């Protein structure tokens, strides 16, 4: 009797120990325990959140890749369906933040110090596309470059070493020489980001995007892109007279232009507007005041200021 009880007890313990060890094996090796399932689910949700659903649907609509059918009972013309979907997507984008990229070309120049001060005063992110030849013109320009480099709110990018000497067609007609000019600039200025804006050209080349304005810059752009560079143009440009500080295009008209791009989702990527200015526009007090006022207006609109290295922010 005692032997039978002992055998039963041993068998019961074996079953319990077996269950515990199997469960432990399942958790640690197969990942089928509750904790493992939770981790896997979180990973899947995170991956799903990263998919730019709105942008993908917007792009498909823009490229006429979506199929629309007309219901015989309640017929809605295809054009109307497309318009309805576009309006719906616009409203969906409007539920997300709107991103503005302040970009300044041709620095360091007179005016660069004011841009540096403005970024610090307003606590906004700023992107500057630099020219090595300008940085080496004088001690003053080198000091301006150092201000940019030491400002955590400013990111420095490549705008070529010579700015094509303002002879753009000749510059791009020799793509190998043009490519070497960008490489020299990167090395000379110790630029940390492989991000480029081509002088005299509004060319975009990043990820699977390729948008060319003038063909004789395309070969240089292709060479840069194949060597790991991302190339960015601009959506909206603002010009001031660099000597007087007077607006060639008024601040009000420029703001209206930006708002139209944001509201109509007509920029390169919806909710992302790349805004081009030039350093020498802000060498006068009048120009600086206009820039300060424009930034305040953008802040009032609730726009978020971003760096080009984070472009584009997708939804």
């Amino acid at each position: 009797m005692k032997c039978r009880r002992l055998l039963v007890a041993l068998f019961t313990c074996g079953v319990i120990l077996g269950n515990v060890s199997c469960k432990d094996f399942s958790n640690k090796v197969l990942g089928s325990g509750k904790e493992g399932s939770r981790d896997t689910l979180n990973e899947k949700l995170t991956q799903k959140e990263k998919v730019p659903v709105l942008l993908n649907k917007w792009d498909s609509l823009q490229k006429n890749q979506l199929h629309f059918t007309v219901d015989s009972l309640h017929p809605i013309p295809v054009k109307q369906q497309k318009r309805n979907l576009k309006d719906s997507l616009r409203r969906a984008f409007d539920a997300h933040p709107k991103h503005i990229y302040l970009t300044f070309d041709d620095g360091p120049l007179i005016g660069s110090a004011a841009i540096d001060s403005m970024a610090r005063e307003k606590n906004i992110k700023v992107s500057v596309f630099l020219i090595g030849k300008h940085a080496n013109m004088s001690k003053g320009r080198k000091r301006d470059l150092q201000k940019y480099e030491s400002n955590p709110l400013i990111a420095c990018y490549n705008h070529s070493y010579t700015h094509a000497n303002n002879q753009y067609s000749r510059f791009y007609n020799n793509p190998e020489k043009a490519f070497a000019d960008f490489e020299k600039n990167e090395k000379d200025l110790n630029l940390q980001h492989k991000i480029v804006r081509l002088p005299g050209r509004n060319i975009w080349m990043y990820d699977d995007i390729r948008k060319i304005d003038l063909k004789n810059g395309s070969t240089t752009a292709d060479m840069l892109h194949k060597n790991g560079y991302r190339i960015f143009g601009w959506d909206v440009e603002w010009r001031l007279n660099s000597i007087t500080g007077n607006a060639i295009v008024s601040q009000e008209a420029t703001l209206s232009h930006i708002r139209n791009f944001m509201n109509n989702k007509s920029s390169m990527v919806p909710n992302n507007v790349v805004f081009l200015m030039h350093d020498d526009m802000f060498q006068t007090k009048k120009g600086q005041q206009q820039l300060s006022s424009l930034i305040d207006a953008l802040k009032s609109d609730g726009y978020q200021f971003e760096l080009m290295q984070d472009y584009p922010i997708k939804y």
Side-chain angles (χ1 to χ4, degrees), residues 32-261:
S32 59
K34 290 182 179 178
E35 198 64 39
S37 298
R38 193 181 300 119
D39 290 344
T40 305
L41 179 60
N42 287 337
E43 287 176 11
K44 287 181 178 178
L45 287 172
T46 301
Q47 290 172 358
K48 188 174 182 181
E49 287 171 359
K50 290 180 180 177
V51 176
V53 177
L54 282 179
L55 182 58
N56 287 348
K57 201 157 190 177
W58 180 269
D59 285 344
S60 297
L61 180 63
Q62 298 293 89
K63 295 173 183 176
N64 291 315
Q65 294 173 343
L66 297 179
H67 178 66
F68 295 87
T69 58
V70 178
D71 188 342
S72 57
L73 292 176
H74 304 285
I76 301 175
V78 170
K79 282 186 178 181
Q80 184 62 47
Q81 290 185 57
K82 288 182 178 180
R83 195 176 301 114
N84 292 346
L85 177 57
K86 195 168 189 177
D87 291 342
S88 175
L89 290 173
R90 278 181 181 147
R91 289 192 296 271
F93 273 117
D94 283 339
H96 293 281
K98 297 178 181 180
H99 307 281
I100 185 85
Y101 302 76
L102 301 190
T103 69
F104 297 84
D105 282 9
D106 300 351
L109 287 171
I110 300 174
S112 299
I115 294 165
D116 172 76
S117 297
M118 198 78 65
R120 294 177 189 272
E121 177 191 339
K122 305 286 187 182
N123 192 31
I124 56 167
K125 296 175 184 176
V126 164
S127 299
V128 294
F129 287 85
L130 302 175
I131 297 170
K133 189 176 179 180
H134 290 174
N136 290 317
M137 281 194 306
S138 67
K139 290 181 180 179
R141 299 295 75 77
K142 285 183 179 179
R143 283 196 296 270
D144 291 336
L145 175 63
Q146 288 168 358
K147 286 180 181 179
Y148 276 162
E149 291 172 337
S150 65
N151 189 337
L153 293 165
I154 291 179
C156 300
Y157 308 119
N158 197 335
H159 197 40
S160 79
Y161 186 82
T162 62
H163 201 264
N165 293 312
N166 295 327
Q167 297 178 339
Y168 305 120
S169 294
R170 180 182 295 182
F171 182 72
Y172 294 117
N173 283 340
N174 191 336
E176 290 79 12
K177 189 175 179 180
F179 178 79
D181 197 70
F182 285 100
E183 283 195 314
K184 175 177 172 58
N185 200 46
E186 180 180 322
K187 185 177 180 180
D188 193 79
L189 298 183
N190 192 29
L191 298 173
Q192 302 301 305
H193 304 283
K194 296 186 83 68
I195 291 175
V196 164
R197 175 173 285 157
L198 272 63
R201 298 288 181 270
N202 190 359
I203 289 178
W204 301 73
M205 210 172 284
Y206 66 93
D207 301 337
D208 60 345
I209 301 298
R210 187 176 187 273
K211 184 180 178 183
I212 308 294
D213 62 342
L214 295 175
K215 286 186 178 180
N216 86 322
S218 63
T219 304
T220 301
D222 284 330
M223 288 179 67
L224 288 163
H225 191 240
K226 285 175 184 176
N227 282 275
Y229 292 89
R230 289 190 292 158
I231 303 163
F232 296 116
W234 62 91
D235 297 305
V236 180
E237 181 178 7
W238 189 33
R239 285 194 173 275
L240 302 180
N241 184 306
S242 59
I243 297 173
T244 65
N246 293 327
I248 296 171
V249 178
S250 72
Q251 179 185 305
E252 293 76 15
T254 302
L255 275 170
S256 177
H257 203 183
I258 291 171
R259 287 164 179 156
N260 286 339
F261 269 72

Side-chain angles (χ1 to χ4, degrees), residues 11-27:
F11 177 77
T12 304
C13 289
V15 170
I16 293 170
L17 289 171
N19 286 342
V20 171
S21 60
C22 285
K23 185 177 180 181
D24 185 59
F25 178 84
S26 174
N27 284 342

